[in-house]
PDB file of all heavy atoms in Angstrom:
ATOM      1  N   SER A  83     100.507 111.367  84.618  1.00 97.00           N
ATOM      2  CA  SER A  83      99.220 110.641  84.647  1.00 97.00           C
ATOM      3  C   SER A  83      98.516 110.772  83.308  1.00 97.00           C
ATOM      4  O   SER A  83      97.948 109.784  82.797  1.00 97.00           O
ATOM      5  CB  SER A  83      98.326 111.190  85.752  1.00 97.00           C
ATOM      6  OG  SER A  83      98.893 111.011  87.029  1.00 97.00           O
ATOM      7  N   LEU A  86     100.080 108.447  80.831  1.00 98.00           N
ATOM      8  CA  LEU A  86      99.728 107.062  81.115  1.00 98.00           C
ATOM      9  C   LEU A  86      98.294 106.745  80.666  1.00 98.00           C
ATOM     10  O   LEU A  86      98.048 105.699  80.030  1.00 98.00           O
ATOM     11  CB  LEU A  86      99.860 106.799  82.618  1.00 98.00           C
ATOM     12  CG  LEU A  86     101.284 106.775  83.181  1.00 98.00           C
ATOM     13  CD1 LEU A  86     101.279 106.874  84.693  1.00 98.00           C
ATOM     14  CD2 LEU A  86     102.012 105.510  82.725  1.00 98.00           C
ATOM     15  N   ILE A  87      97.383 107.631  80.961  1.00 97.00           N
ATOM     16  CA  ILE A  87      95.981 107.390  80.595  1.00 97.00           C
ATOM     17  C   ILE A  87      95.806 107.452  79.075  1.00 97.00           C
ATOM     18  O   ILE A  87      95.032 106.680  78.500  1.00 97.00           O
ATOM     19  CB  ILE A  87      95.070 108.421  81.305  1.00 97.00           C
ATOM     20  CG1 ILE A  87      95.089 108.141  82.813  1.00 97.00           C
ATOM     21  CG2 ILE A  87      93.642 108.342  80.773  1.00 97.00           C
ATOM     22  CD1 ILE A  87      94.452 109.251  83.648  1.00 97.00           C
ATOM     23  N   GLU A  89      97.946 106.467  76.937  1.00 97.00           N
ATOM     24  CA  GLU A  89      98.485 105.238  76.387  1.00 97.00           C
ATOM     25  C   GLU A  89      97.626 104.019  76.730  1.00 97.00           C
ATOM     26  O   GLU A  89      97.334 103.189  75.875  1.00 97.00           O
ATOM     27  CB  GLU A  89      99.913 105.008  76.884  1.00 97.00           C
ATOM     28  CG  GLU A  89     100.542 103.683  76.449  1.00 97.00           C
ATOM     29  CD  GLU A  89     100.650 103.526  74.943  1.00 97.00           C
ATOM     30  OE1 GLU A  89     100.719 104.559  74.227  1.00 97.00           O
ATOM     31  OE2 GLU A  89     100.647 102.370  74.471  1.00 97.00           O
ATOM     32  N   TYR A  90      97.215 103.908  77.992  1.00 97.00           N
ATOM     33  CA  TYR A  90      96.568 102.687  78.452  1.00 97.00           C
ATOM     34  C   TYR A  90      95.047 102.789  78.571  1.00 97.00           C
ATOM     35  O   TYR A  90      94.368 101.747  78.650  1.00 97.00           O
ATOM     36  CB  TYR A  90      97.144 102.243  79.804  1.00 97.00           C
ATOM     37  CG  TYR A  90      98.622 101.958  79.753  1.00 97.00           C
ATOM     38  CD1 TYR A  90      99.541 102.743  80.468  1.00 97.00           C
ATOM     39  CD2 TYR A  90      99.121 100.903  79.008  1.00 97.00           C
ATOM     40  CE1 TYR A  90     100.891 102.484  80.435  1.00 97.00           C
ATOM     41  CE2 TYR A  90     100.496 100.638  78.967  1.00 97.00           C
ATOM     42  CZ  TYR A  90     101.357 101.440  79.696  1.00 97.00           C
ATOM     43  OH  TYR A  90     102.712 101.181  79.648  1.00 97.00           O
ATOM     44  N   GLY A  91      94.514 103.995  78.610  1.00 95.00           N
ATOM     45  CA  GLY A  91      93.083 104.144  78.756  1.00 95.00           C
ATOM     46  C   GLY A  91      92.585 103.506  80.047  1.00 95.00           C
ATOM     47  O   GLY A  91      93.116 103.758  81.130  1.00 95.00           O
ATOM     48  N   HIS A  92      91.588 102.640  79.928  1.00 91.00           N
ATOM     49  CA  HIS A  92      91.033 101.968  81.101  1.00 91.00           C
ATOM     50  C   HIS A  92      91.657 100.609  81.345  1.00 91.00           C
ATOM     51  O   HIS A  92      91.235  99.865  82.234  1.00 91.00           O
ATOM     52  CB  HIS A  92      89.518 101.814  80.936  1.00 91.00           C
ATOM     53  CG  HIS A  92      88.779 103.126  80.848  1.00 91.00           C
ATOM     54  ND1 HIS A  92      88.692 103.997  81.921  1.00 91.00           N
ATOM     55  CD2 HIS A  92      88.117 103.725  79.824  1.00 91.00           C
ATOM     56  CE1 HIS A  92      88.011 105.075  81.566  1.00 91.00           C
ATOM     57  NE2 HIS A  92      87.648 104.926  80.296  1.00 91.00           N
ATOM     58  N   LYS A  93      92.686 100.257  80.567  1.00 94.00           N
ATOM     59  CA  LYS A  93      93.337  98.953  80.757  1.00 94.00           C
ATOM     60  C   LYS A  93      94.177  98.967  82.037  1.00 94.00           C
ATOM     61  O   LYS A  93      94.686 100.016  82.451  1.00 94.00           O
ATOM     62  CB  LYS A  93      94.239  98.634  79.553  1.00 94.00           C
ATOM     63  CG  LYS A  93      93.499  98.426  78.261  1.00 94.00           C
ATOM     64  CD  LYS A  93      94.428  97.915  77.158  1.00 94.00           C
ATOM     65  CE  LYS A  93      95.528  98.899  76.847  1.00 94.00           C
ATOM     66  NZ  LYS A  93      96.372  98.444  75.692  1.00 94.00           N
ATOM     67  N   GLU A  94      94.335  97.807  82.621  1.00 97.00           N
ATOM     68  CA  GLU A  94      95.180  97.684  83.783  1.00 97.00           C
ATOM     69  C   GLU A  94      96.660  97.691  83.365  1.00 97.00           C
ATOM     70  O   GLU A  94      97.004  97.208  82.293  1.00 97.00           O
ATOM     71  CB  GLU A  94      94.877  96.389  84.541  1.00 97.00           C
ATOM     72  CG  GLU A  94      93.539  96.417  85.266  1.00 97.00           C
ATOM     73  CD  GLU A  94      93.483  97.515  86.319  1.00 97.00           C
ATOM     74  OE1 GLU A  94      94.458  97.684  87.067  1.00 97.00           O
ATOM     75  OE2 GLU A  94      92.466  98.229  86.366  1.00 97.00           O
ATOM     76  N   PHE A  95      97.496  98.260  84.227  1.00 98.00           N
ATOM     77  CA  PHE A  95      98.945  98.228  83.994  1.00 98.00           C
ATOM     78  C   PHE A  95      99.649  98.342  85.340  1.00 98.00           C
ATOM     79  O   PHE A  95      99.022  98.626  86.367  1.00 98.00           O
ATOM     80  CB  PHE A  95      99.394  99.355  83.051  1.00 98.00           C
ATOM     81  CG  PHE A  95      99.121 100.754  83.555  1.00 98.00           C
ATOM     82  CD1 PHE A  95     100.077 101.445  84.305  1.00 98.00           C
ATOM     83  CD2 PHE A  95      97.925 101.383  83.285  1.00 98.00           C
ATOM     84  CE1 PHE A  95      99.839 102.722  84.778  1.00 98.00           C
ATOM     85  CE2 PHE A  95      97.665 102.680  83.761  1.00 98.00           C
ATOM     86  CZ  PHE A  95      98.623 103.340  84.486  1.00 98.00           C
ATOM     87  N   ILE A  96     100.948  98.093  85.331  1.00 98.00           N
ATOM     88  CA  ILE A  96     101.757  98.083  86.555  1.00 98.00           C
ATOM     89  C   ILE A  96     102.787  99.196  86.438  1.00 98.00           C
ATOM     90  O   ILE A  96     103.326  99.462  85.367  1.00 98.00           O
ATOM     91  CB  ILE A  96     102.458  96.715  86.717  1.00 98.00           C
ATOM     92  CG1 ILE A  96     101.429  95.589  86.757  1.00 98.00           C
ATOM     93  CG2 ILE A  96     103.350  96.695  87.958  1.00 98.00           C
ATOM     94  CD1 ILE A  96     102.033  94.218  86.527  1.00 98.00           C
ATOM     95  N   LEU A  97     103.093  99.820  87.563  1.00 98.00           N
ATOM     96  CA  LEU A  97     104.107 100.863  87.627  1.00 98.00           C
ATOM     97  C   LEU A  97     105.405 100.298  88.210  1.00 98.00           C
ATOM     98  O   LEU A  97     105.370  99.443  89.082  1.00 98.00           O
ATOM     99  CB  LEU A  97     103.642 102.031  88.479  1.00 98.00           C
ATOM    100  CG  LEU A  97     102.470 102.843  87.905  1.00 98.00           C
ATOM    101  CD1 LEU A  97     101.731 103.563  89.013  1.00 98.00           C
ATOM    102  CD2 LEU A  97     102.969 103.829  86.864  1.00 98.00           C
ATOM    103  N   CYS A  98     106.543 100.791  87.723  1.00 96.00           N
ATOM    104  CA  CYS A  98     107.834 100.355  88.240  1.00 96.00           C
ATOM    105  C   CYS A  98     108.792 101.542  88.263  1.00 96.00           C
ATOM    106  O   CYS A  98     108.888 102.269  87.281  1.00 96.00           O
ATOM    107  CB  CYS A  98     108.413  99.221  87.384  1.00 96.00           C
ATOM    108  SG  CYS A  98     110.027  98.618  87.945  1.00 96.00           S
ATOM    109  N   LEU A 112     101.833 108.160  91.672  1.00 98.00           N
ATOM    110  CA  LEU A 112     101.016 107.705  90.547  1.00 98.00           C
ATOM    111  C   LEU A 112     100.188 106.483  90.901  1.00 98.00           C
ATOM    112  O   LEU A 112      99.012 106.355  90.518  1.00 98.00           O
ATOM    113  CB  LEU A 112     101.911 107.405  89.341  1.00 98.00           C
ATOM    114  CG  LEU A 112     102.572 108.629  88.686  1.00 98.00           C
ATOM    115  CD1 LEU A 112     103.738 108.165  87.807  1.00 98.00           C
ATOM    116  CD2 LEU A 112     101.556 109.415  87.882  1.00 98.00           C
ATOM    117  N   LEU A 116      96.224 106.746  90.597  1.00 97.00           N
ATOM    118  CA  LEU A 116      95.570 105.958  89.560  1.00 97.00           C
ATOM    119  C   LEU A 116      95.120 104.582  90.037  1.00 97.00           C
ATOM    120  O   LEU A 116      94.557 103.812  89.254  1.00 97.00           O
ATOM    121  CB  LEU A 116      96.527 105.793  88.364  1.00 97.00           C
ATOM    122  CG  LEU A 116      97.005 107.107  87.708  1.00 97.00           C
ATOM    123  CD1 LEU A 116      98.021 106.820  86.623  1.00 97.00           C
ATOM    124  CD2 LEU A 116      95.815 107.888  87.135  1.00 97.00           C
ATOM    125  N   ASP A 117      95.426 104.251  91.295  1.00 97.00           N
ATOM    126  CA  ASP A 117      95.048 102.977  91.892  1.00 97.00           C
ATOM    127  C   ASP A 117      95.655 101.803  91.102  1.00 97.00           C
ATOM    128  O   ASP A 117      94.923 100.933  90.603  1.00 97.00           O
ATOM    129  CB  ASP A 117      93.514 102.851  91.953  1.00 97.00           C
ATOM    130  CG  ASP A 117      93.055 101.668  92.795  1.00 97.00           C
ATOM    131  OD1 ASP A 117      93.839 101.189  93.630  1.00 97.00           O
ATOM    132  OD2 ASP A 117      91.914 101.205  92.600  1.00 97.00           O
ATOM    133  N   LYS A 118      96.978 101.822  90.998  1.00 97.00           N
ATOM    134  CA  LYS A 118      97.689 100.789  90.233  1.00 97.00           C
ATOM    135  C   LYS A 118      98.720 100.051  91.104  1.00 97.00           C
ATOM    136  O   LYS A 118      99.276 100.639  92.037  1.00 97.00           O
ATOM    137  CB  LYS A 118      98.426 101.416  89.037  1.00 97.00           C
ATOM    138  CG  LYS A 118      97.524 102.152  88.047  1.00 97.00           C
ATOM    139  CD  LYS A 118      96.494 101.200  87.432  1.00 97.00           C
ATOM    140  CE  LYS A 118      95.560 101.960  86.489  1.00 97.00           C
ATOM    141  NZ  LYS A 118      94.467 101.060  86.002  1.00 97.00           N
ATOM    142  N   PRO A 119      98.993  98.783  90.792  1.00 97.00           N
ATOM    143  CA  PRO A 119     100.007  98.028  91.544  1.00 97.00           C
ATOM    144  C   PRO A 119     101.407  98.473  91.143  1.00 97.00           C
ATOM    145  O   PRO A 119     101.594  99.121  90.103  1.00 97.00           O
ATOM    146  CB  PRO A 119      99.747  96.596  91.136  1.00 97.00           C
ATOM    147  CG  PRO A 119      99.140  96.700  89.760  1.00 97.00           C
ATOM    148  CD  PRO A 119      98.331  97.964  89.775  1.00 97.00           C
ATOM    149  N   GLN A 120     102.387  98.111  91.985  1.00 96.00           N
ATOM    150  CA  GLN A 120     103.773  98.519  91.741  1.00 96.00           C
ATOM    151  C   GLN A 120     104.728  97.342  91.762  1.00 96.00           C
ATOM    152  O   GLN A 120     104.561  96.417  92.552  1.00 96.00           O
ATOM    153  CB  GLN A 120     104.235  99.501  92.825  1.00 96.00           C
ATOM    154  CG  GLN A 120     103.425 100.748  92.954  1.00 96.00           C
ATOM    155  CD  GLN A 120     103.910 101.573  94.150  1.00 96.00           C
ATOM    156  OE1 GLN A 120     105.054 102.034  94.191  1.00 96.00           O
ATOM    157  NE2 GLN A 120     103.049 101.748  95.122  1.00 96.00           N
ATOM    158  N   LEU A 147     100.641  91.883  82.852  1.00 97.00           N
ATOM    159  CA  LEU A 147     100.126  93.184  82.433  1.00 97.00           C
ATOM    160  C   LEU A 147     101.245  94.061  81.855  1.00 97.00           C
ATOM    161  O   LEU A 147     102.421  93.822  82.120  1.00 97.00           O
ATOM    162  CB  LEU A 147      99.511  93.903  83.643  1.00 97.00           C
ATOM    163  CG  LEU A 147      98.286  93.223  84.286  1.00 97.00           C
ATOM    164  CD1 LEU A 147      97.930  93.944  85.584  1.00 97.00           C
ATOM    165  CD2 LEU A 147      97.096  93.246  83.322  1.00 97.00           C
ATOM    166  N   PRO A 148     100.877  95.112  81.114  1.00 98.00           N
ATOM    167  CA  PRO A 148     101.884  96.075  80.674  1.00 98.00           C
ATOM    168  C   PRO A 148     102.547  96.743  81.862  1.00 98.00           C
ATOM    169  O   PRO A 148     101.930  96.917  82.916  1.00 98.00           O
ATOM    170  CB  PRO A 148     101.074  97.085  79.844  1.00 98.00           C
ATOM    171  CG  PRO A 148      99.826  96.385  79.476  1.00 98.00           C
ATOM    172  CD  PRO A 148      99.537  95.428  80.595  1.00 98.00           C
ATOM    173  N   VAL A 149     103.802  97.142  81.702  1.00 98.00           N
ATOM    174  CA  VAL A 149     104.535  97.851  82.752  1.00 98.00           C
ATOM    175  C   VAL A 149     104.943  99.226  82.263  1.00 98.00           C
ATOM    176  O   VAL A 149     105.526  99.363  81.177  1.00 98.00           O
ATOM    177  CB  VAL A 149     105.783  97.043  83.200  1.00 98.00           C
ATOM    178  CG1 VAL A 149     106.656  97.883  84.117  1.00 98.00           C
ATOM    179  CG2 VAL A 149     105.352  95.759  83.915  1.00 98.00           C
ATOM    180  N   ALA A 150     104.635 100.234  83.079  1.00 98.00           N
ATOM    181  CA  ALA A 150     105.021 101.611  82.813  1.00 98.00           C
ATOM    182  C   ALA A 150     106.141 101.998  83.759  1.00 98.00           C
ATOM    183  O   ALA A 150     106.023 101.812  84.984  1.00 98.00           O
ATOM    184  CB  ALA A 150     103.836 102.539  82.974  1.00 98.00           C
ATOM    185  N   ILE A 151     107.238 102.537  83.224  1.00 97.00           N
ATOM    186  CA  ILE A 151     108.377 102.963  84.040  1.00 97.00           C
ATOM    187  C   ILE A 151     108.449 104.496  83.989  1.00 97.00           C
ATOM    188  O   ILE A 151     108.915 105.058  82.997  1.00 97.00           O
ATOM    189  CB  ILE A 151     109.692 102.355  83.518  1.00 97.00           C
ATOM    190  CG1 ILE A 151     109.618 100.824  83.571  1.00 97.00           C
ATOM    191  CG2 ILE A 151     110.869 102.847  84.362  1.00 97.00           C
ATOM    192  CD1 ILE A 151     110.859 100.134  83.043  1.00 97.00           C
ATOM    193  N   PRO A 152     107.999 105.176  85.030  1.00 96.00           N
ATOM    194  CA  PRO A 152     108.108 106.644  85.060  1.00 96.00           C
ATOM    195  C   PRO A 152     109.466 107.084  85.592  1.00 96.00           C
ATOM    196  O   PRO A 152     110.032 106.478  86.504  1.00 96.00           O
ATOM    197  CB  PRO A 152     106.987 107.068  86.036  1.00 96.00           C
ATOM    198  CG  PRO A 152     106.178 105.836  86.276  1.00 96.00           C
ATOM    199  CD  PRO A 152     107.128 104.687  86.112  1.00 96.00           C
ATOM    200  N   PHE A 183     107.951 106.594  80.655  1.00 97.00           N
ATOM    201  CA  PHE A 183     107.222 107.858  80.699  1.00 97.00           C
ATOM    202  C   PHE A 183     108.028 108.869  81.497  1.00 97.00           C
ATOM    203  O   PHE A 183     108.319 108.646  82.686  1.00 97.00           O
ATOM    204  CB  PHE A 183     105.852 107.650  81.349  1.00 97.00           C
ATOM    205  CG  PHE A 183     104.951 106.705  80.598  1.00 97.00           C
ATOM    206  CD1 PHE A 183     105.122 105.333  80.706  1.00 97.00           C
ATOM    207  CD2 PHE A 183     103.950 107.183  79.772  1.00 97.00           C
ATOM    208  CE1 PHE A 183     104.313 104.460  79.999  1.00 97.00           C
ATOM    209  CE2 PHE A 183     103.134 106.317  79.055  1.00 97.00           C
ATOM    210  CZ  PHE A 183     103.314 104.941  79.173  1.00 97.00           C
TER     211      PHE A 183
END
Side-chain angles (χ1 to χ4, degrees):
S83 298
L86 290 165
I87 293 168
E89 176 60 27
Y90 300 115
H92 297 293
K93 294 188 298 184
E94 289 299 315
F95 62 91
I96 302 164
L97 292 157
C98 179
L112 291 163
L116 302 175
D117 191 21
K118 300 300 178 186
Q120 302 174 62
L147 297 171
V149 170
I151 300 178
F183 297 79

